[in-house]
Amino acid sequence: MVLILSFGLAAPPAQASPPVDLDAYLGTWYELARTPNDFQDNTPHHEGRTYSECTGSTAEYERVDPDTVRIVNRCVRIAADGARWEDEAVGYGLVDPKGAGAVLRIAFGPTWARWVQRLISLGGFEYRIFALGRRDAAGQYRWSVVGNSDRDFLFLLARTPTVDDATWREMLRAANEAGLPAEQLIRRAARAAREDHGR
């Protein structure tokens, strides 16, 4: 769930985000669907092999301090000979004080890379939580709709690798109401997640 910096024309403001209890957002999320992006849909070379686009993507969120969240994104890539590679990206999100807990400013990579990203993006790439599912018995949000104010990317996340049809429709409705590009979503991540995490 890597954020993409866009130099295109800004879209009209999207629907405001709800207040978010970040402690209820922490933990593991499974990517159900995403809009295409350069990191996950590329085909990288690694140890002499060419690997597929990302499948079975997950994200783990951990509070570092009151204003910082550590994010670990992982996905599975598969080579033509069947070799599997777990790709990983580590980033840090700074809580935007104006975002009521719903907005993080994220940068990935080592310290110098994060510094550069924050410099060119005026604080970090925007990660905005637009909608959330009800909390579970442990007090965690069940699903999340994530994008940015320019509406040029979208992720649908859940606490489980798959959701029932009613929940899927509820998430799509929330994305559409927020003006996010739901028509561009791809769901192969959900199929891969079922295979990779259903054991």
Side-chain angles (χ1 to χ4, degrees), residues 3-7 92 94 96 104-108 113-127 148 150:
L3 307 189
I4 309 303
L5 180 63
S6 172
F7 294 98
Y92 288 83
L94 303 180
D96 189 324
L104 300 175
R105 300 288 174 179
I106 296 180
F108 283 87
R114 298 198 304 271
W115 184 87
V116 171
Q117 291 169 48
R118 294 194 188 283
L119 180 66
I120 66 175
S121 62
L122 303 178
F125 304 127
E126 183 189 40
Y127 178 106
N148 67 352
D150 289 340

Side-chain angles (χ1 to χ4, degrees), residues 92-195:
Y92 288 83
L94 303 180
V95 178
D96 189 324
K98 299 179 181 178
V103 180
L104 300 175
R105 300 288 174 179
I106 296 180
F108 283 87
T111 302
W112 67 267
R114 298 198 304 271
W115 184 87
V116 171
Q117 291 169 48
R118 294 194 188 283
L119 180 66
I120 66 175
S121 62
L122 303 178
F125 304 127
E126 183 189 40
Y127 178 106
R128 180 177 290 269
I129 302 164
F130 280 95
L132 292 163
R134 295 183 304 277
R135 300 192 193 206
D136 60 20
Q140 292 185 311
Y141 297 116
R142 294 176 183 267
W143 55 259
S144 177
V145 174
V146 177
N148 67 352
S149 294
D150 289 340
R151 293 181 288 187
D152 51 16
F153 71 89
L154 168 61
F155 294 99
L156 301 187
L157 311 176
R159 296 296 187 177
T160 53
T162 59
V163 295
D164 59 37
D165 289 343
T167 301
W168 174 254
R169 289 193 296 269
E170 187 178 6
M171 296 173 74
L172 281 182
R173 183 168 59 251
N176 281 311
E177 288 175 354
L180 295 163
E183 72 282 354
Q184 299 175 28
L185 283 169
I186 55 176
R187 294 189 70 181
R188 64 171 170 263
R191 291 195 295 273
R194 185 164 56 247
E195 296 165 5

